[in-house]
């Protein structure tokens, strides 16, 4: 097809959508450029048109139009976790679905698909409540939750999906539905981990947590002490009660002026800790870990829930990154040695971050959901800067690290980390039975194969 023919097709698609009364932006406009740029600058997307629905009815109208005219529709908010490819599709940007209502008495919230966690944390905190947020408050509530949602208080409260009362969702047939344990329960199951495969969520209702404050934050150690700190963390975390959630991160941060001097331009190890038990007991629980070596920075203390992001101190600004991920069944001494050989002080490790999160506790139980792998013991997640030549080095290191940890890997993956759309990825995330069940929900609700998430699943697992 010539460029002129392509341009004409794009213009026609844009005209079709705007004629239907929807707010849409085509390639070449400043609004389009702003809406397609997301958190991970390594993942550029090129949809034909970006639509900004004002409400759920707009989403339903767009999906009905897609059914009539045979085009694909994908969805995105922040770009923290793109999947599947949105190229040459119509992309729904949910930024204007910004409703947020907290029912303090009933301890729940109604949250639009355009809301990021920090808004919920602030609003809930105003009522003395907390929420099952992820590590980065700039992540979208719906994107995170439809991927299961692993929280820095997850060992105490479980997955984010365990707290969802209902989803409002537009399915591929263009129908706006409500999915809950009693209304369309199979669709509800699929949305609890299936990300955007089964529908475009326009809002969800979520239980809040009876917690205004935690004892939490991060203690940073010098990278030279990495071996002692990791071995201590491994032994200490094995004995923690479920009121405690912890992770450890090997950080090699660039010498940026806005980073605290003890962390900028050097190798450090961060132990993250969140204690949801009685506040005055938190320090004693953390004490053995604090004593592992001399901290270079100690940021653990009483933490208002609205400052939840201080536990992981994730970056908030967009940057180009490459990631990888696996799940471990356990972390015996041999696995610790294998890890240290690739991320310890002697290693040539190009990653900005290699992180292990301890699972267990409340993760192990919860209502039936598309999210699998409740039994895994640890997650491993790598993040490298995607700027040549570091990008290639980070990709190679990812491969070598995951191969070295393979003897202890469960072979599973979580929906929210390093997402892809190939058959192997879907099987690793949902298992054979989970993929079959998810496909059945998609086929039942999207007969014309319109939604990008469902399309990708179908194409990979046909
Ligand atoms: C710095 C950082 C920290 C993170 N920390 C955590 C963490 O602690 N725990 C955790 O579980 N995850 C974490 N993640 C992963 C994150 O939760 C996922 O990438 C999540 O999908 C991001 O959602 P989003 O809407 O912000 O991103 P987007 O890139 O906009 O969306 C990602 C995907 O979510 C789905 N999605 C988004 N909106 C909708 C919708 N309205 N309806 C249906 N599907 C939708 C789609 O599949 C979409 O491709 C982190 C990611 C980053 C970059």
């Amino acid at each position: 097809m010539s460029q002129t023919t392509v341009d004409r097709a794009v213009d026609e698609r844009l005209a079709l959508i705007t004629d239907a009364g929807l707010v849409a932006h085509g390639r070449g406009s400043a609004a389009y450029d702003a809406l397609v740029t997301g958190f991970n600058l390594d993942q550029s997307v090129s949809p034909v048109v970006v639509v900004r629905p004002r409400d759920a009815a707009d989403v339903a109208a767009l999906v009905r139009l897609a059914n009539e005219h045979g085009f694909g529709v994908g969805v995105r908010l922040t770009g923290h976790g793109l999947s599947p490819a949105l190229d040459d599709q119509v992309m729904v940007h949910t930024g204007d679905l910004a409703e947020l209502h907290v029912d303090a008495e009933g301890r729940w919230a109604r949250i639009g698909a355009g809301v990021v966690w920090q808004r919920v944390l602030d609003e809930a905190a105003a009522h003395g409540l907390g929420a099952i947020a992820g590590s980065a408050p700039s992540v979208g509530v719906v994107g995170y939750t439809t991927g299961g949602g692993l929280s820095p208080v997850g060992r105490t409260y479980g997955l984010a999906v365990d707290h969802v009362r209902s989803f409002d969702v537009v399915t591929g047939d263009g129908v706006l539905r409500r999915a809950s344990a009693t209304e369309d329960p199979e669709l509800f199951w699929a949305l609890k981990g299936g990300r955007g495969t089964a529908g475009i969520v326009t809002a969800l209702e979520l239980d809040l947590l009876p917690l205004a404050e935690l004892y939490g934050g991060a203690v940073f150690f010098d990278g030279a002490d990495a071996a002692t700190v990791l071995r201590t963390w491994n032994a200490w975390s094995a004995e923690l009660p479920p009121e405690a959630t912890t992770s450890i991160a090997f950080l090699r941060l660039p010498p940026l002026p806005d980073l605290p001097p003890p962390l900028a331009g050097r190798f450090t190890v961060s132990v993250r800790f969140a204690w949801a038990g009685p506040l005055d007991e938190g320090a004693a629980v953390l004490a053995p870990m604090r004593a592992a070596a001399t901290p270079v920075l100690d940021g653990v203390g009483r933490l208002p829930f609205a400052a939840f992001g201080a536990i992981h101190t994730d970056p908030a600004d967009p940057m180009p990154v490459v990631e990888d991920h696996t799940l471990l069944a356990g972390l015996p001494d041999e696995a610790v040695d294998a890890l240290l050989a690739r991320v310890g002080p002697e290693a040539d490790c190009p990653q900005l971050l290699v992180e292990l999160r301890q699972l267990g506790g409340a993760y192990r139980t919860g209502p039936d959901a598309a999210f699998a792998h409740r039994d895994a013991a640890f997650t491993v997640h790598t993040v490298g800067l995607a700027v040549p030549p570091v990008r290639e080095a980070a990709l190679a290191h990812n491969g070598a690290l995951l191969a070295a940890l393979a003897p202890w890997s469960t072979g599973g993956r979580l929906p929210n980390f390093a997402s892809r759309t190939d058959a192997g990825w879907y099987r690793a995330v949902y298992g054979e039975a989970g993929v079959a069940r998810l496909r059945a929900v998609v086929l039942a609700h999207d007969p014309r194969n319109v939604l990008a998430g469902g399309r990708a699943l179908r194409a990979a697992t046909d």
Side-chain angles (χ1 to χ4, degrees):
M1 242 194 299
S2 73
Q3 191 54 44
T4 323
T5 318
V6 172
D7 289 346
R8 200 175 306 125
V10 169
D11 288 346
E12 281 169 13
R13 180 73 38 86
L14 181 61
L16 184 73
I17 292 169
T18 50
D19 286 353
L22 299 168
V23 180
H25 306 281
R27 285 178 185 150
S29 69
Y32 173 99
D33 290 344
L35 292 170
V36 297
T37 306
F39 177 81
N40 186 353
L41 301 176
D42 192 51
Q43 294 177 320
S44 64
V45 289
S46 182
V48 220
V49 173
V50 179
V51 176
R52 252 193 113 139
R54 291 153 296 199
D55 53 25
D58 273 3
V59 179
L62 175 69
V63 175
R64 284 198 300 273
L65 210 58
N67 272 273
E68 276 168 44
H69 296 272
F71 58 85
V73 181
V75 61
R76 209 198 78 181
L77 176 60
T78 70
H80 271 87
L82 281 187
S83 137
L86 296 167
D87 293 346
D88 303 322
Q89 320 243 355
V90 171
M91 181 183 113
V92 170
H93 187 287
T94 58
D96 286 338
L97 304 181
E99 66 175 307
L100 174 59
H101 167 74
V102 169
D103 182 325
E105 210 164 298
R107 207 160 35 79
W108 62 277
R110 181 174 168 83
I111 304 167
V115 175
V116 299
W117 272 115
Q118 189 63 55
R119 259 190 80 201
V120 179
L121 292 171
D122 289 341
E123 190 64 28
H127 300 280
L129 297 169
I132 190 84
S135 61
S138 57
V139 161
V141 175
V142 165
Y144 160 90
T145 304
T146 52
L150 242 65
S151 174
V153 290
R155 277 173 40 88
T156 312
Y157 295 106
L159 293 165
V161 283
D162 298 340
H163 298 262
V164 176
R165 293 183 173 196
S166 66
F167 293 100
D168 286 8
V169 57
V170 174
T171 43
D173 50 9
V175 177
L176 173 60
R177 303 169 194 269
R178 189 176 158 90
S180 69
T182 53
E183 302 148 287
D184 216 332
E186 200 58 12
L187 180 59
F188 189 51
W189 173 89
L191 293 168
K192 293 192 293 178
R195 304 187 99 207
T197 49
I200 297 180
V201 173
T202 56
L204 56 75
E205 292 179 6
L206 186 79
D207 285 327
L208 297 174
L209 306 179
L211 208 60
E213 220 182 342
L214 304 156
Y215 184 82
V219 188
F220 297 85
F221 298 93
D222 194 317
D225 295 321
T228 307
V229 172
L230 178 59
R231 291 186 207 289
T232 307
W233 181 80
N234 198 23
W236 166 77
S237 60
E239 303 300 324
L240 286 176
E243 291 90 341
T245 304
T246 184
S247 63
I248 187 166
F250 300 84
L251 301 171
R252 288 173 167 87
L253 303 178
L256 297 175
D258 53 345
L259 286 173
L263 310 183
R266 62 189 277 201
F267 173 36
T268 56
V269 182
S270 161
V271 172
R272 292 82 162 259
F273 180 65
W275 172 254
L279 281 176
D280 56 358
E281 292 176 12
V285 178
L286 183 62
M289 193 63 241
R290 267 191 168 129
T294 307
V296 295
L297 188 68
D298 190 333
V300 183
R302 289 178 74 134
L303 190 72
F305 222 97
F308 200 66
I311 300 169
H312 279 235
T313 56
D314 282 335
D317 294 331
M319 61 167 96
V321 293
V322 287
E323 305 171 87
D324 216 330
H325 159 70
T326 192
L327 291 170
L328 302 182
L331 195 63
D333 290 344
E334 297 84 349
V336 169
D337 292 342
L339 189 65
L340 286 170
R342 275 142 195 100
V343 306
E346 314 298 328
D348 186 13
C349 174
Q351 311 291 355
L352 287 174
L353 167 145
V354 175
E355 171 190 272
L356 268 84
R357 299 189 188 197
Q358 187 200 19
L359 303 177
Y363 282 123
R364 293 199 191 278
T365 52
D368 193 20
F371 181 96
H373 308 303
R374 283 187 184 276
D375 289 342
F378 296 93
T379 67
V380 180
H381 186 208
T382 64
V383 179
L385 203 57
V387 176
V390 185
R391 185 178 195 281
E392 287 62 39
L395 289 170
H397 183 268
N398 280 338
L401 176 64
L402 296 200
L405 294 175
W408 305 281
S409 168
T410 67
R413 286 172 169 268
L414 299 183
N416 267 351
F417 296 103
S419 321
R420 300 199 314 255
T421 52
D422 54 276
W425 185 82
Y426 286 113
R427 276 194 216 102
V429 172
Y430 302 110
E432 291 291 348
V435 167
R437 193 168 165 188
L438 202 49
R439 271 184 69 95
V441 177
V442 170
L443 292 172
H445 290 86
D446 189 0
R448 297 208 177 159
N449 198 9
V450 160
L451 295 188
R455 276 185 174 188
L457 172 76
R458 281 150 97 149
T461 59
D462 257 346

